[in-house]
Amino acid sequence: MTAPRTGNDARPRLIDFWHDLPREGKLLLSIVVFQFLGTGLVLPFHIVYLAEVRDFGYANAGLLIALQPLVGLVAAGPGGSLIDRLGPRTVMATALGCLVVGGVVIASASTLPVAALGLGLNGLAFGIEWPAAQSLVASVVPSRIRHRYFGINFALLNLGIGLGGIVGGLFVDVERVITFQVIYLADAVSYLPAIVLLLGPLRHVGGRVVAATADDGTPAARVGYVDVLRRPGVASVMALGFLASFVGYSQLNAGMQAFAREVGEVSTRGLGLAFAANTAVIVLLQLVVLQRIEGRRRTRVIAVMGVVWAASWLLLGATGLVPGTAAATVLLAACASVFALGETLMQPTLPALVNDLATDDTRGKFNALSSISFQSAAIISPPIAGFLVGHGLGTAYVAVLVVGSLALGLAAVGHLEKRIDPRVNGIVADEPTPAPGDAHAAPTLPASGIV
């Protein structure tokens, strides 16, 4: 697959990105590992803590954990409007404050209502923090290097989660509630450096966006979510995000585990190995992938991602051919590793598409819609996966994921690519702009690599 390159054919070096990155962007990247170290401490142990350590039982624990994304989904819409009114920095600092309080509450959650309060606070915070963070990044990082920022941020995020998971696994003991309280309190503390940055060195960025004005100088009518969705390409990008979540992350966090245990008969240790492999591939390959996709059409990068994810789900299906064996464990680790390669293609592209489509005064709503599309799929995917796997329809489950992944790639190239501006699609050429009316014209420059 080929596409126009920007400028000459030389691939950018990491040092070039760091040199071009504004001071504010460097500060934001500097705290990512520490913040997500706290996330990694608690992420693998929510269900164990609530069901076994706090003795709420698995049924109640499942309901409590479901509360978090549900609250986040409800909060995302109003949160996007607040971001556009107050600015992303204020909203993000408030959300991080909620996460600090939520972590403290969960650490002391000896009763169901207290646990629900803590998880509800976390859900509220995550519902507005993600679009606020994306909007803040877009406000300080230039569009031409924004995709590289998102990619490097993703690698650092996974490094933090991976290290946190290792430390947490070595530290916690289900017989000692204090060990779980410590990791939840440590998770709360991990958000404090970001709050200090936002209230201190970054207090001058991400502020209230000046409202647009009409031609006569009067304030323009405020843009709503329906207006945003009517803009060219927006609904298509959000639908793409929903599909990517449905056949991607939602399955990695639920369906893949269910299939591996029920059909592939992989041990819990094997599951841990698969997730470790997933994290390692992201950390090792993200920078390499960033160089390879530089200057390529983002829609075509997503198309390659769809093919890669389809291959990963075929590997998952293969575990069912050799259930309960070491080969099944190896195939699951391969599935998670190949899936991780797809993740390194998606993370620099989809967030960049969303934020390049947005304007400064609507960026909060754009990122909120993106968050809603992902969280909606995350809510409906586990029940669908559970139904198919639980009713002996494992082959149908894998087929749905493979077909869905390929459909994702086809939709990106065959549908979305025709509806967005080449600039939004990552093509910024040095040559003159094509003549009016020649919507698909683009300069043809030397190309190489995977896209």
Side-chain angles (χ1 to χ4, degrees):
M1 192 184 308
T2 61
R5 298 299 305 270
T6 58
N8 58 47
D9 195 48
R11 296 190 181 100
R13 300 172 300 168
L14 178 59
I15 191 66
D16 297 327
F17 164 75
W18 190 253
H19 178 269
D20 295 341
L21 191 64
R23 170 179 172 271
E24 294 82 2
K26 294 174 182 175
L27 288 173
L28 287 172
L29 278 181
S30 69
I31 58 170
V32 172
V33 172
F34 184 80
Q35 179 175 327
F36 284 92
L37 182 69
T39 303
L41 284 172
V42 301
L43 188 62
F45 307 111
H46 285 319
I47 192 76
V48 175
Y49 174 66
L50 296 171
E52 299 182 28
V53 179
R54 287 301 185 181
D55 201 26
F56 296 148
Y58 278 96
N60 286 328
L63 291 173
L64 286 170
I65 291 174
L67 178 66
Q68 188 165 295
L70 284 173
V71 173
L73 181 65
V74 172
S81 297
L82 281 175
I83 292 167
D84 290 335
R85 288 175 180 269
L86 305 178
R89 182 181 59 83
T90 299
V91 175
M92 185 175 174
T94 303
L96 292 172
C98 287
L99 287 171
V100 172
V101 176
V104 174
V105 171
I106 295 173
S108 59
S110 57
T111 65
L112 280 170
V114 175
L117 174 62
L119 289 165
L121 282 170
N122 277 6
L124 171 66
F126 284 129
I128 61 177
E129 191 269 342
W130 189 84
Q134 301 287 84
S135 299
L136 182 64
V137 168
S139 71
V140 300
V141 178
S143 174
R144 63 185 175 83
I145 59 171
R146 202 175 285 156
H147 62 287
R148 279 183 260 167
Y149 180 97
F150 287 130
I152 292 173
N153 179 80
F154 185 59
L156 294 175
L157 177 157
N158 275 274
L159 178 60
I161 290 177
L163 292 174
I166 293 171
V167 173
L170 294 173
F171 179 74
V172 296
D173 181 353
V174 293
E175 302 298 329
R176 301 171 60 212
V177 66
I178 185 65
T179 61
F180 285 84
Q181 291 176 312
V182 167
I183 64 171
Y184 277 102
L185 292 174
D187 182 38
V189 169
S190 72
Y191 298 107
L192 294 178
I195 295 176
V196 171
L197 270 185
L198 293 173
L199 299 182
L202 297 180
R203 64 185 181 276
H204 63 287
V205 301
R208 188 189 302 268
V209 178
V210 178
T213 57
D215 293 338
D216 59 1
T218 59
R222 188 168 293 277
V223 177
Y225 279 102
V226 174
D227 301 310
V228 168
L229 284 169
R230 285 174 176 168
R231 294 184 180 181
V234 175
S236 298
V237 169
M238 301 309 164
L240 211 65
F242 175 87
L243 186 55
S245 178
F246 181 82
V247 302
Y249 287 106
S250 302
Q251 305 304 333
L252 184 72
N253 295 327
M256 185 192 80
Q257 300 172 44
F259 186 95
R261 291 288 294 157
E262 186 70 18
V263 182
E265 299 179 15
V266 177
S267 67
T268 53
R269 180 172 294 182
L271 285 176
L273 174 64
F275 277 92
N278 176 270
T279 300
V281 168
I282 291 170
V283 173
L284 293 173
L285 291 188
Q286 183 67 84
L287 298 181
V288 176
V289 169
L290 277 173
Q291 288 187 309
R292 301 294 291 179
I293 67 175
E294 183 72 24
R296 316 297 187 181
R297 287 186 175 90
R298 291 164 179 164
T299 48
R300 301 191 184 185
V301 175
I302 293 173
V304 174
M305 178 198 77
V307 174
V308 170
W309 277 1
S312 74
W313 297 133
L314 287 173
L315 288 168
L316 175 65
T319 64
L321 301 177
V322 285
T325 65
T329 300
V330 171
L331 285 168
L332 183 65
C335 163
S337 300
V338 174
F339 185 89
L341 174 59
E343 291 181 81
T344 65
L345 292 167
M346 189 192 81
Q347 285 299 328
T349 51
L350 199 55
L353 275 172
V354 171
N355 281 281
D356 281 354
L357 277 170
T359 55
D360 288 341
D361 59 340
T362 60
R363 202 172 299 283
K365 292 185 181 68
F366 271 79
N367 283 296
L369 284 171
S370 180
S371 177
I372 289 170
S373 68
F374 265 76
Q375 292 189 64
S376 299
I379 291 172
I380 69 170
S381 293
I384 294 174
F387 176 84
L388 292 174
V389 174
H391 285 77
L393 300 172
T395 301
Y397 169 70
V398 171
V400 167
L401 297 188
V402 171
V403 172
S405 298
L406 295 175
L408 173 66
L410 289 174
V413 175
H415 179 77
L416 179 61
E417 188 169 300
K418 301 173 183 177
R419 285 164 174 76
I420 56 176
D421 186 270
R423 178 193 62 81
V424 173
N425 206 9
I427 302 300
V428 183
D430 297 329
E431 280 73 14
T433 304
D438 191 8
H440 302 290
T444 302
L445 300 176
S448 61
I450 61 172
V451 184

